[in-house]
Amino acid sequence: MSFQMTESLETIYQEIIRKNPGETEFHQAVREVLESLGPVLVKYPEFLQNKIIRRICEPERQIIFRVPWVDDRGEVHINRGFRVEFNSALGPYKGGLRFHPSVYLGIIKFLGFEQIFKNALTGLPIGGGKGGSDFDPKGKSDAEVMRFCQSFMTELYRHIGEHTDVPAGDIGVGGREIGYLFGQYKRITNRYEMGVLTGKGMAYGGSLVRTEATGYGAVFFVDEMLKVNKQSFEGKTCTVSGSGNVAIYTIEKIHQLGGKVVAISDSDGVIVHEKGIHLQTVQQLKEIERRRIKDYADIHKDAKYIPKGNIWEIPCQVAMPSATQNEINGKDAEKLVKNGCIAVGEGANMPTTPEGVRVFQTAKIAYGPGKATNAGGVATSALEMQQNASRDSWTFEYTEKRLAKIMSNIHQVCYETAEEFGAPGDYVVGANIAGFVKVAKAMLAMGLI
Ligand code: NDP
C-alpha cells in the first residue's frame, strides 16, 4: 500500500521531473519515496516549511568526467565517469560504483537517492552517494580493466576521502576493480588511507564478510519476514536472479538455512536445476573463470539452460531478485504469486516495477524492498571503515553476527514504523519513512544546508 500523494507532494514531484528531464529511473525512485511521506508531513509540518524534501531530492554535488583509456590493441576509448554526492547529513557520502554500458546520470541518481535512506536504516554514520561509468568490463582483459580503473581514479581521487566520500563496488565492480582503484588512489595521493574505499582485499585492509554481506544480509532480512508469519527457509524452493556477487552469497545463505535454490540467471538466459544449484560450480564459473552461466549445463547434465528465459516463470516460494533494476514487471509478479510465491526479498536495487510492487502488496505476500533488504552490504562496508579506523580486523564469526543483528534491527524498525503510520506489514512504507525521518531530522538540526 502506498498513500495518496497530497497536492504539495505532487507539486514537488512534478518540479523534480521538470528539473531532471529524461532521468526515468530517478523519477521512479523519488515517486516511490514521496508516496510514503503523506502522513510524515502531517506529523512533522516543519519538514515541509523547511523544504526538506526538495533539498533531499537535489544532490549536494554531481561530478561528471571524461575517462580516456587504451585497449590491448592500442585503440583509444573514451568513457564517461560519474559520482553523485547526494547527502552527507549522517556521515561521509557512501555508496558503490557501477560499471555497466547502461550507466547514465539517471541511473546513478536513482541509486544515490535510494542509498541515502538505506544508509540511514543501517543506524551507522554514513551519508548517501553513488558513482560509476558506462564502461563495460565484460570481455576485457585484466590489463584493460586496470588501465580503465587507473584513469577513472585519476579524476575521482580529488573528490573522495575517508571523511568525505567512500566508494565501494556494485555491478561490474568487485574485488579486482577495487584493488586497482585503491592502488591508483594511494599512488596519486601518497597516502595509505584505508578508509577511502570499501570492499578491499583482505591483504590490504578489507573486512571479512564484506564479499558475502549483501547476499547474506538479504537472506537474514527475508528470514525475519518469514518469522513474522511463523515460517522459515527450511524446505523452501527459491529462485535467485543474476549470478554475480549478490546472487552467489544469497544462494549460499539460503542453502545454509535449509532452503533450495532451483534457478539462477544472467542477461543471456536462465539455469534451472531442480536438484538445487551447485554453488561451487557457479563460483568457479563466475568468480574465478569469469564465464557465462550457460556453461553450468555442460557441467551438470541434469540442469537445463533456457536462452533468453524468464526466471520469474519458474515456480518458487521465495524469490530473490539480485540482478538489476526493473527486472520484475507486473506480469512477472502475477506469475510469481500465481505459482505460490509467499516472499520476495530484493537483493538488487529497485528490481520490481511499481506495477509489480502493487501486485505483491495486493496479494499480501511478504515483500522486502531493496533499500531495506540489501542494506547489509553497505552496513558491512561501514564495519570495514570501523576496522580501518581502529587498525583492527575482526573474525568472520563476529562480523557475521554484527551483520545479522543489523539486519534484524532494520527489519524491526521497518516493521514498527509501518505499524505506527497505519500500514501494518508494508515494508515499503516502513523503510521509506524510517530512513527519511532520520535524515530529515539531522538536516533540520544543522540549519539550512
Ligand atoms: P555483479 O556485477 O556481481 O552481478 C550482476 C549480475 O546481474 C550478473 O549476473 C549480471 O548478468 C546480472 N545483470 C546485470 N545487469 C543486468 C541486466 N541489465 N539485465 C540482466 N541481468 C543483468 O553485481 P552485484 O551482484 O554486485 O549487484 C547486483 C544487484 O545488487 C545490483 O542491483 C546492485 O545495485 C545491487 N546491490 C549490490 C550490492 C553489493 O554489495 N555488490 C549492495 C547492494 C545492492 P550479466 O553478467 O549477463 O550482465
Side-chain angles (χ1 to χ4, degrees):
M1 185 187 91
S2 54
F3 302 111
Q4 189 72 31
M5 287 229 282
T6 60
E7 207 180 307
S8 53
L9 283 168
E10 191 62 51
T11 308
I12 294 171
Y13 179 62
Q14 291 307 328
E15 196 180 300
I16 285 158
I17 294 187
R18 189 178 52 72
K19 282 182 85 171
N20 303 276
E23 298 175 2
T24 50
E25 295 85 356
F26 178 52
H27 304 163
Q28 182 182 337
V30 168
R31 181 160 191 111
E32 190 243 358
V33 171
L34 297 197
E35 281 179 348
S36 298
L37 295 186
V40 176
L41 299 181
V42 175
K43 184 167 177 189
Y44 302 100
E46 62 271 32
F47 291 169
L48 211 50
Q49 282 148 22
N50 289 282
K51 301 203 173 171
I52 291 287
I53 299 178
R54 282 183 175 80
R55 276 152 65 187
I56 286 187
C57 292
E58 185 69 26
E60 290 176 17
R61 191 174 299 108
Q62 305 182 57
I63 302 143
I64 303 182
F65 51 100
R66 178 171 67 205
V67 190
W69 59 282
V70 184
D71 70 18
D72 290 344
R73 299 188 322 270
E75 193 183 329
V76 170
H77 298 266
I78 316 294
N79 284 101
R80 187 170 284 180
F82 301 90
R83 187 71 186 166
V84 174
E85 298 180 332
F86 230 115
N87 194 295
S88 60
L90 300 183
Y93 311 105
K94 183 87 197 84
L97 298 170
R98 176 176 292 193
F99 291 170
H100 193 271
S102 64
V103 163
Y104 76 109
L105 188 58
I107 286 195
I108 300 299
K109 276 165 73 175
F110 118 64
L111 290 163
F113 184 72
E114 293 259 300
Q115 197 84 44
I116 304 170
F117 310 109
K118 177 189 310 191
N119 294 4
L121 286 172
T122 66
L124 297 163
I126 39 180
K130 198 84 188 187
S133 173
D134 56 3
F135 173 73
D136 186 359
K138 237 177 267 170
K140 304 287 190 301
S141 69
D142 285 353
E144 288 172 329
V145 170
M146 180 185 75
R147 287 195 292 275
F148 174 81
C149 288
Q150 290 180 336
S151 181
F152 186 84
M153 185 53 88
T154 300
E155 171 59 33
L156 187 69
Y157 87 95
R158 68 188 86 242
H159 307 290
I160 62 176
E162 65 177 323
H163 300 297
T164 314
D165 184 354
V166 183
D170 190 80
I171 291 177
V173 178
R176 174 182 59 172
E177 290 75 17
I178 294 292
Y180 295 146
L181 290 164
F182 184 76
Q184 184 72 350
Y185 182 85
K186 182 175 82 61
R187 186 180 179 201
I188 298 176
T189 59
N190 193 31
R191 280 162 63 86
Y192 206 101
E193 190 184 325
M194 273 195 285
V196 70
L197 287 171
T198 59
K200 299 184 292 295
M202 288 312 297
Y204 62 99
S207 169
L208 289 168
V209 191
R210 177 60 191 92
T211 307
E212 294 84 355
T214 308
Y216 277 20
V219 176
F220 289 146
F221 190 92
V222 173
D223 197 39
E224 294 290 331
M225 293 199 300
L226 290 171
K227 275 188 209 154
V228 171
N229 298 323
K230 311 240 177 314
Q231 301 249 19
S232 76
F233 268 102
E234 188 67 46
K236 297 270 183 316
T237 298
C238 311
T239 53
V240 177
S241 65
S243 45
N245 171 265
V246 178
I248 285 173
Y249 294 97
T250 296
I251 299 169
E252 182 165 80
K253 190 48 80 182
I254 289 176
H255 286 173
Q256 285 174 10
L257 296 187
K260 183 169 72 163
V261 177
V262 296
I264 55 169
S265 64
D266 63 17
S267 53
D268 296 330
V270 176
I271 284 285
V272 182
H273 199 176
E274 295 295 346
K275 207 166 84 183
I277 292 290
H278 191 265
L279 184 64
Q280 284 78 11
T281 305
V282 182
Q283 286 183 297
Q284 180 68 28
L285 287 174
K286 299 301 301 179
E287 292 184 330
I288 298 170
E289 297 173 15
R290 297 184 189 278
R291 285 159 66 188
R292 313 296 296 162
I293 54 151
K294 178 169 146 305
D295 300 343
Y296 182 101
D298 297 334
I299 300 163
H300 297 277
K301 300 291 180 202
D302 52 347
K304 188 169 69 175
Y305 178 65
I306 312 172
K308 293 283 156 222
N310 180 353
I311 191 168
W312 311 122
E313 291 176 0
I314 312 297
C316 67
Q317 291 157 295
V318 179
M320 305 222 24
S322 308
T324 195
Q325 63 277 353
N326 291 329
E327 52 170 312
I328 299 183
N329 61 28
K331 281 207 170 69
D332 299 327
E334 278 167 14
K335 193 96 195 167
L336 279 163
V337 171
K338 190 165 153 264
N339 283 339
C341 180
I342 58 161
V344 176
E346 296 184 338
N349 284 306
M350 208 169 74
T352 312
T353 64
E355 297 73 38
V357 176
R358 268 193 289 280
V359 172
F360 293 147
Q361 295 196 322
T362 308
K364 296 211 179 316
I365 70 169
Y367 165 67
K371 67 168 75 68
T373 309
N374 70 36
V378 74
T380 309
S381 275
L383 301 183
E384 182 174 333
M385 291 162 74
Q386 280 186 33
Q387 292 169 76
N388 293 158
S390 58
R391 299 286 185 267
D392 198 358
S393 147
W394 307 340
T395 64
F396 192 96
E397 292 68 27
Y398 175 73
T399 317
E400 189 183 3
K401 260 197 200 119
R402 293 278 307 257
L403 169 64
K405 181 78 187 124
I406 290 168
M407 295 315 296
S408 132
N409 288 346
I410 295 175
H411 174 269
Q412 192 177 344
V413 91
C414 294
Y415 185 84
E416 288 173 0
T417 307
E419 296 240 315
E420 182 192 339
F421 284 86
D426 188 331
Y427 292 96
V428 176
V429 162
N432 285 339
I433 295 184
F436 178 85
V437 168
K438 184 156 189 203
V439 178
K441 283 184 176 170
M443 287 176 75
L444 266 188
M446 291 179 195
L448 189 55
I449 54 164

